[in-house]
Amino acid sequence: MAVLVTGGTGYIGSHTVVELLELDYKVVIVDDLSNSDDKVLDRIANISGKTPRFYRVDLKDKQALRKIFQENNVEAVIHFAGYKAVGESVSNPLKYYENNILSSINLIQVMNEFNVFNLVFSSSATVYGMNNPSPLKEEYPTNEANNPYGYTKIVIENLLNDISNTDSRWHIIIFRYFNPIGAHQSGLIGEDPKGIPNNLMPYITQVAVGKREKLSVFGDDYETTDGTGVRDYIHVVDLSKGHVRGIQKINQMPGLHTYNLGTGSGVSVLELVNAFEKANNLVINYQICSRRAGDVAINYADVSKVKRELNWETEKELIEMCRDSWNWQKQNPNGY
């Protein structure tokens, strides 16, 4: 089986490609490199001993996408590609609606042309919005989001649901994942955000490596154990293995199935900082700031469904996530 991975040179995509290659899947990567680096390809080859076929293509270019399907015997697709910076989506919503939704429509149309009906879609816990209580369950309503990025995920999920309801040939798995952190244990691939990090862990590691002066902690007056926001942090390798499990199971699962990918427990901002300091014998300089608009106090997954139906659960503990994050950053202080 050849698996097409869109966004395969990105943070989660590259780790998933490694896991697929180590299980002897043939992998084809399509990525426009707008938020990643082609050096990732050499790193993947270094880790796995295999070089996936790579196409530098924007999914909005339908003809170029067709050529990929013409040249490869694709049997399943994992769709990671998409813009994902929440702040940028607020300031430039049209860019996000055009790219994320049009790219997905093109991909689905071309898959249909080439009779490829196995799709794993990378969604996000942002689809749950602010009003659903944690632990978040897959059956909760997802008709509102805090930002345009989240709305693009809702639109694509709805599109996939409509397709599944009207064409029984499709096998679709939607993974709503929570807060991926960590890196491959080799330190060769990891999270390399462009500009100011949007996520907590790369901000912590950039402070630790001296790239940034201090970490800003937004709010210490939430109704949590220490007043800081609580999130579900999952090791990126565990997350990647979840997507591989989806590929392994998808042929047995007609219709559409939605799963959370998380640990099922919450960790506060300061608990994560403390764990990082303990794991790596470092001190992180931080300051408490006012809350950010749109942040919820507590956000973590109910993972009972994915355990039950896909027999998947996380393996890596928080300390390992912190060690691997720092191992990546200290080996690559300026990213790729």
Side-chain angles (χ1 to χ4, degrees):
M1 175 189 286
V3 180
L4 177 68
V5 182
T6 76
T9 58
Y11 174 43
I12 302 167
S14 61
H15 286 83
T16 302
V17 167
V18 166
E19 296 301 321
L20 288 166
L21 291 172
E22 291 184 346
L23 291 174
D24 291 328
Y25 285 94
K26 294 180 181 178
V27 178
V28 180
I29 296 174
V30 55
D31 201 307
D32 67 356
L33 301 179
S34 62
N35 195 37
S36 58
D37 195 298
D38 61 3
K39 296 186 183 71
V40 172
L41 297 167
D42 291 334
R43 306 287 184 95
I44 289 172
N46 194 325
I47 294 168
S48 66
K50 302 168 186 174
T51 303
R53 180 171 285 189
F54 172 71
Y55 292 84
R56 184 172 185 175
V57 165
D58 186 328
L59 294 182
K60 296 194 298 298
D61 184 345
K62 189 184 286 188
Q63 191 54 44
L65 188 55
R66 283 195 184 100
K67 188 170 185 288
I68 295 170
F69 279 79
Q70 288 168 349
E71 294 179 355
N72 299 276
N73 183 26
V74 175
E75 296 180 51
V77 176
I78 304 179
H79 182 30
F80 289 112
Y83 295 151
K84 63 177 185 176
V86 170
E88 185 187 38
S89 80
V90 173
S91 62
N92 194 352
L94 187 59
K95 175 181 179 181
Y96 275 67
Y97 281 106
E98 179 189 28
N99 182 76
N100 293 4
I101 296 171
L102 181 57
S103 294
S104 299
I105 290 172
N106 282 350
L107 177 64
I108 293 162
Q109 288 176 332
V110 174
M111 287 177 68
N112 191 74
E113 288 177 24
F114 286 86
N115 296 311
V116 179
F117 299 106
N118 296 324
L119 174 64
V120 174
F121 175 58
S122 175
S123 190
S124 168
T126 57
V127 302
Y128 290 114
M130 295 185 66
N131 297 319
N132 288 311
S134 290
L136 293 160
K137 302 176 185 292
E138 289 89 348
E139 63 266 25
Y140 282 174
T142 57
N143 55 359
E144 61 179 60
N146 304 341
N147 52 72
Y149 162 72
Y151 271 114
T152 68
K153 293 296 188 182
I154 291 172
V155 170
I156 297 165
E157 283 198 13
N158 289 340
L159 170 63
L160 294 175
N161 187 63
D162 290 341
I163 290 168
S164 174
N165 287 336
T166 57
D167 189 338
S168 61
R169 294 175 297 176
W170 284 91
H171 296 224
I172 300 170
I173 293 176
I174 294 173
F175 284 131
R176 295 173 181 158
Y177 52 84
F178 282 68
N179 297 76
I181 61 174
H184 192 270
Q185 63 181 4
S186 65
L188 291 173
I189 56 175
E191 187 170 13
D192 182 23
K194 307 295 183 185
I196 298 173
N198 293 294
N199 301 322
L200 178 58
M201 181 57 84
Y203 220 118
I204 292 173
T205 60
Q206 288 187 12
V207 170
V209 82
K211 195 170 181 177
R212 301 193 181 277
E213 179 187 357
K214 57 191 172 185
L215 169 72
S216 296
V217 177
F218 296 104
D220 65 347
D221 56 351
Y222 290 105
E223 292 185 12
T224 61
T225 53
D226 57 22
T228 63
V230 168
R231 300 292 182 267
D232 190 335
Y233 296 99
I234 175 175
H235 198 294
V236 67
V237 171
D238 280 333
L239 183 66
S240 298
K241 289 180 177 179
H243 286 77
V244 174
R245 182 61 55 85
I247 288 294
Q248 291 171 328
K249 294 280 191 178
I250 198 165
N251 278 328
Q252 308 160 30
M253 302 176 68
L256 183 143
H257 305 267
T258 302
Y259 301 101
N260 290 330
L261 292 183
T263 64
S265 60
V267 175
S268 77
V269 173
L270 291 184
E271 284 172 339
L272 183 62
V273 171
N274 292 336
F276 185 89
E277 291 178 330
K278 180 179 179 181
N280 300 303
N281 194 27
L282 293 166
V283 176
I284 299 299
N285 183 27
Y286 68 87
Q287 66 175 2
I288 304 295
C289 304
S290 58
R291 294 187 187 188
R292 288 184 303 192
D295 279 351
V296 297
I298 300 174
N299 182 288
Y300 65 95
D302 182 317
V303 292
S304 57
K305 183 182 178 185
V306 71
K307 287 182 181 180
R308 182 176 66 252
E309 296 187 10
L310 294 187
N311 192 29
W312 172 92
E313 60 185 319
T314 56
E315 300 173 357
K316 297 181 180 293
E317 301 293 335
L318 187 63
I319 290 295
E320 192 170 358
M321 301 181 209
C322 293
R323 286 176 183 156
D324 288 344
S325 295
W326 177 232
N327 184 42
W328 150 256
Q329 188 72 79
K330 69 182 179 183
Q331 288 191 47
N332 305 270
N334 296 309
Y336 289 106

